Amino acid sequence: MRAARENTESADLYETKWTPFEQAPWTNIETRGRIKRPRLEWLLYTMLQAEGRAEVDLARLYNQYKAYAAPSGKPPLTAAQQLDTLTKYAAHYQALTSGEGPLPIAQFGRRIIPYEASTLHPLALLISTSDRTDAEKTAMFNLLVSFLVRRAVCGLTNKAYASIFMSVMRQLNREEISETAVRKHLSGSKSDTTRWPDDAESLRALTSYALYSGNLDAPKARQLLTELEAAWRRGKKTEELVLPNLSNLDIEHIMPRSWYAHWPLTDGTHATKDEREHAANAKLSGLDLTGRQEDILRRDVALSTLGNLTLLNLSVNREAQNKAFPDKKRLLIAHSNLSLNTALIALDQWDVDGILARGAELASLALDLYPGPQ
């Protein structure tokens, strides 16, 4: 209708620039939380936030788009301008949500899938459609991934993400879009709901917190291990992270959570699940623990930390189950070529000290992979 009022070739615009949006993937239904909308509506919703650096009410999308296209006191955008802008954002949005293509935002989209962080999409589009180089965009995307990962491993909430990323967009509206600016604005808060964990806190979480099962669900834990595998293969820091597809692999606890039958304590004896529960209750009650109880609880804490986690083929994982380390080692030799598992093959035993040493090595790699705040 705008084109007709402008006496432009509306039929030509319709055929060449609008018709693609009347078919897949833009007609496909996309779900966020409990809300279902055609992908085109989510594109418009995200584009308007990126363009205006402001919240958009999804229920009033039509009216808010009209206000964008015909702003009060300013000349309206022509039909061609609107379609050109929509087409530009569509390419970046499709790369972000599909994770496919050569744009840096595609790689970013693949990395944040486990975090269901659609509140990051407007900021990601703002960065991706800017005139920065691909290397600069990749560096900014790395910071955003780091923010998500560090908060997740530290067990911090994601409930304020919409306001955090909108605040960063508003700040970028007043200055140049750059890695320095993104880092500065993500680093600005010390509140538990909004802060970006520093190296000390992140290192503590990576080496001593229960990650799986614990602060990370299976998709997040698998993604973390996949990215560490990629970094370990690469052997050096680089801006471009090429991820292998390890989505078909299972998360494996090298020392199993049910370790009682096949994994003796340091004194060579076997403990029971009941002993573990008695030791945990004694600690909660503030009672003095025996050396054996301390040994049991130390092992129990280490089981779900990063140092005890790896990836294995599902069938191998099922076969490994609660077996002793020599049996697991034979399965690794026969069925795994991951860098995550290479060092394990050279070991004769696997104990808490081994878990802590491997955890420290992986944590150091993770701190490089996920750069921290200022």
Side-chain angles (χ1 to χ4, degrees):
M1 289 187 291
R2 170 72 65 188
R5 290 197 296 271
E6 294 167 350
N7 293 320
T8 57
E9 292 294 333
S10 56
D12 183 56
L13 283 176
Y14 181 88
E15 291 296 331
T16 59
K17 296 188 177 182
W18 177 251
T19 298
F21 294 107
E22 292 192 331
Q23 52 198 3
W26 304 107
T27 54
N28 295 347
I29 298 299
E30 191 173 298
T31 303
R32 296 189 188 178
R34 289 179 290 181
I35 303 175
K36 297 181 179 181
R37 291 284 192 278
R39 179 168 290 188
L40 177 59
E41 290 192 27
W42 289 121
L43 167 62
L44 288 168
Y45 174 71
T46 310
M47 182 193 84
L48 289 178
Q49 292 179 80
E51 283 283 288
R53 274 77 152 181
E55 296 283 359
V56 169
D57 184 353
L58 184 61
R60 300 183 63 251
L61 186 59
Y62 176 71
N63 289 329
Q64 296 206 244
Y65 183 82
K66 283 178 65 179
Y68 160 76
S72 177
K74 295 181 180 179
L77 300 176
T78 67
Q81 286 174 327
Q82 293 179 57
L83 288 168
D84 286 343
T85 301
L86 190 61
T87 300
K88 177 184 74 171
Y89 276 97
H92 294 266
Y93 184 83
Q94 181 64 10
L96 169 64
T97 54
S98 70
E100 298 175 355
L103 295 175
I105 198 172
Q107 175 79 324
F108 174 71
R110 290 195 294 275
R111 297 181 73 188
I112 66 171
I113 286 173
Y115 295 90
E116 298 178 346
S118 59
T119 51
L120 243 179
H121 288 181
L123 177 55
L125 283 190
L126 178 66
I127 292 170
S128 191
T129 57
S130 71
D131 61 359
R132 303 295 90 184
T133 66
D134 282 357
E136 290 171 315
K137 292 173 184 177
T138 297
M140 287 184 270
F141 288 142
N142 286 345
L143 297 182
L144 297 178
V145 172
S146 169
F147 184 86
L148 295 179
V149 173
R150 286 186 177 223
R151 285 188 60 84
V153 299
C154 291
L156 299 174
T157 181
N158 61 0
K159 291 183 178 179
Y161 282 1
S163 61
I164 293 170
F165 301 134
M166 185 57 65
S167 175
V168 173
M169 283 208 301
R170 291 193 186 104
Q171 296 292 337
L172 294 179
N173 196 32
R174 295 191 283 270
E175 57 189 281
E176 183 181 74
I177 296 173
S178 67
E179 179 184 3
T180 299
V182 171
R183 188 190 294 272
K184 179 179 71 173
H185 298 308
L186 286 177
S187 304
S189 175
K190 302 302 179 184
S191 163
D192 276 356
T193 57
T194 56
R195 64 185 170 81
W196 189 3
D198 60 17
D199 283 0
E201 182 180 4
S202 300
L203 180 63
R204 186 165 59 252
L206 287 163
T207 54
S208 61
Y209 288 10
L211 295 187
Y212 180 75
S213 300
N215 288 344
L216 304 181
D217 59 18
K220 294 183 182 70
R222 185 181 293 105
Q223 183 73 3
L224 173 62
L225 291 168
T226 297
E227 297 208 343
L228 289 172
E229 169 68 18
W232 210 329
R233 288 183 188 186
R234 194 175 60 238
K236 62 180 181 179
K237 289 195 296 181
T238 180
E239 292 174 343
E240 194 64 39
L241 181 70
V242 180
L243 297 181
N245 183 4
L246 305 180
S247 58
N248 63 325
L249 300 185
D250 255 17
I251 303 164
E252 161 76 350
H253 293 78
I254 303 166
M255 181 183 290
R257 284 176 286 187
S258 295
W259 51 268
Y260 312 103
H262 302 292
W263 295 72
L265 297 170
T266 52
D267 63 3
T269 64
H270 290 268
T272 66
K273 189 175 181 180
D274 286 343
E275 278 189 282
R276 183 263 169 203
E277 291 176 356
H278 287 314
N281 290 333
K283 184 175 182 179
L284 286 173
S285 301
L287 301 177
D288 290 335
L289 300 180
T290 66
R292 181 180 179 83
Q293 287 176 320
E294 289 178 346
D295 200 8
I296 291 171
L297 293 183
R298 183 169 178 257
R299 173 174 288 191
D300 203 53
V301 169
L303 289 177
S304 296
T305 62
L306 180 60
N308 193 47
L309 302 178
T310 191
L311 295 170
L312 279 180
N313 180 276
L314 175 60
S315 61
V316 178
N317 190 18
R318 286 176 176 171
E319 185 177 352
Q321 286 291 320
N322 301 324
K323 290 182 178 178
F325 182 67
D327 296 320
K328 286 199 171 186
K329 178 177 171 179
R330 283 193 290 273
L331 289 171
L332 291 175
I333 292 172
H335 301 289
S336 178
N337 61 359
L338 295 185
S339 298
L340 282 170
N341 297 328
T342 302
L344 298 173
I345 292 171
L347 300 176
D348 294 324
Q349 65 178 18
W350 187 246
D351 52 22
V352 172
D353 290 338
I355 291 172
L356 296 179
R358 182 172 179 268
E361 185 175 10
L362 289 175
S364 177
L365 195 62
L367 291 183
D368 284 341
L369 184 59
Y370 307 112
Q374 290 177 324

